[in-house]
Amino acid sequence: MQYQWYPGHMAKARRQMQEDMKLIDVVVELVDARIPYSSKNPDVDKIAKGKSRVLLLNKADMADAKATALWKEYYEQRGFYVVTINSRSGAGVKSVSEKIVAACQEKLERDRRKGIQNRPLRAMIVGIPNVGKSTFINSFAGKACAKTGNKPGVTKGKQWIRLNKQVEMLDTPGILWPKFEDERVGKRISWIGSINDEILVPTELALDLIAYLLRRYPEALPARYGYEPPEENTPLGVFDAIAKKRGCLRKGGELDYERAGRMIVDEIRSCKLGNLSFELPEDVGAEAAKPSV
């Protein structure tokens, strides 16, 4: 299955982001706490070279807390200011402003030496589609100042938002990058819904997720679905058992694989099987780019 998705508006948004970077003091990047490596756009490290960096592990309420703690340490060791947040509930959001100020201490000190005071820091908020940038901005500012949606690609225009006396933020559209060098990255991004589902095959997505859960969280599937253990505890055997248990059948009793696949993917994405993380630092195989600050 092909996991690439890079529509024209993303290429345009990347060029605009590069142009706007000269106006920016700090780059605030949102990633999905379930896949903090795979949901981190490597293009941002190139575009934001030399800028202060804050990394927000969003949707932490959906991720495995132990895995999230490992990822926080992983990125802090690489020079990022890291905050674990849940944009929907607002958990952790208040501390983001403090991290932005901490990341910009050198800039603020330069301003003070020049006699410049009380000028707000200019931050650019970036992230791949569907990581919750607009929800974060709304939560941070305390009002609905950015569009939100549950489909990748809702934010398409450029907008400056005054968040408080200290910070102004430039919102940007969610962008991916032209080619996933590692197919596993594209696969994980598709698991959380950051690639348009219309170009994906739900049965293949479900089988991939089942294979991962059988390896990393073996109790999650039987606990949720209560199926009869299949003769072979393979992804396909478990898929069939879940489809039968949930009555995903066509006329004549044939299994409806597409319906079952969509159901499994939707339930895993929406935490019906509990808080899950889909990668660990030990899985990534390559070190995340270290920002130049």
Side-chain angles (χ1 to χ4, degrees):
M1 182 165 54
Q2 273 289 346
Y3 294 100
Q4 297 297 146
W5 185 51
Y6 193 67
H9 78 269
M10 289 191 184
K12 182 180 178 182
R14 186 193 187 280
R15 291 191 296 270
Q16 185 64 56
M17 185 187 297
Q18 200 159 11
E19 177 65 22
D20 291 334
M21 196 59 67
K22 61 180 179 286
L23 307 172
I24 299 303
D25 301 312
V26 56
V27 175
V28 179
E29 185 174 9
L30 260 78
V31 296
D32 190 303
R34 295 169 293 178
I35 53 166
Y37 184 82
S38 294
S39 62
K40 189 177 182 306
N41 188 337
D43 277 358
V44 172
D45 292 323
K46 299 171 188 173
I47 297 170
K49 190 173 182 181
K51 298 293 181 181
S52 299
R53 303 291 298 278
V54 174
L55 191 71
L56 307 183
L57 302 178
N58 193 29
K59 304 186 181 181
D61 58 308
M62 304 175 77
D64 181 330
K66 291 181 180 178
T68 301
L70 292 174
W71 280 112
K72 188 173 185 293
E73 180 182 7
Y74 177 89
Y75 280 115
E76 286 176 339
Q77 290 175 350
R78 283 153 180 80
F80 291 85
Y81 289 80
V82 183
V83 188
T84 301
I85 66 170
N86 172 7
S87 292
R88 290 198 178 279
S89 72
V93 170
K94 286 184 178 179
S95 62
V96 173
S97 187
E98 296 172 12
K99 286 290 185 183
I100 290 174
V101 172
C104 294
Q105 277 305 304
E106 287 186 18
K107 190 265 181 191
L108 290 169
E109 184 56 38
R110 287 196 303 270
D111 282 354
R112 276 193 289 269
R113 287 198 297 266
K114 294 175 183 177
I116 301 169
Q117 295 184 5
N118 302 320
R119 184 167 70 182
L121 295 166
R122 288 194 152 191
M124 177 184 284
I125 182 78
V126 300
I128 70 170
N130 216 31
V131 291
K133 287 190 295 86
S134 297
T135 303
F136 162 71
I137 292 170
N138 292 344
S139 180
F140 195 12
K143 57 187 176 183
C145 54
K147 296 176 183 177
T148 59
N150 58 4
K151 289 187 178 181
V154 168
T155 307
K156 291 200 170 87
K158 181 170 76 170
Q159 52 181 333
W160 280 98
I161 300 154
R162 185 68 178 265
L163 296 176
N164 52 44
K165 291 180 180 180
Q166 292 178 303
V167 181
E168 290 179 346
M169 189 166 282
L170 177 61
D171 192 15
T172 61
I175 62 169
L176 294 168
W177 54 106
K179 184 179 180 182
F180 302 132
E181 298 296 338
D182 185 342
E183 185 181 296
R184 291 172 299 179
V185 168
K187 185 181 292 188
R188 292 167 185 154
I189 288 172
S190 72
W191 289 354
I192 66 166
S194 289
I195 292 179
N196 190 340
D197 279 337
E198 292 176 9
I199 70 169
L200 302 173
V201 181
T203 51
E204 290 188 35
L205 272 183
L207 285 167
D208 285 340
L209 281 163
I210 289 170
Y212 178 82
L213 294 182
L214 288 175
R215 186 174 72 252
R216 182 62 56 78
Y217 299 99
E219 303 302 321
L221 290 161
R224 172 64 183 172
Y225 297 109
Y227 52 82
E228 289 294 323
E231 289 185 16
E232 295 186 15
N233 197 39
T234 61
L236 183 57
V238 171
F239 187 106
D240 285 355
I242 293 172
K244 290 174 185 173
K245 181 69 176 180
R246 284 297 183 91
C248 297
L249 305 171
R250 298 182 184 275
K251 288 183 179 178
E254 181 184 351
L255 291 178
D256 188 335
Y257 283 101
E258 182 170 352
R259 181 182 158 202
R262 290 188 187 282
M263 181 267 296
I264 292 167
V265 171
D266 288 346
E267 293 203 348
I268 291 173
R269 284 178 179 172
S270 59
C271 282
K272 299 271 178 65
L273 280 75
N275 291 12
L276 308 171
S277 291
F278 300 125
E279 61 187 6
L280 292 173
E282 65 194 48
D283 297 331
V284 300
E287 184 177 299
K290 192 172 183 178
S292 301
V293 295

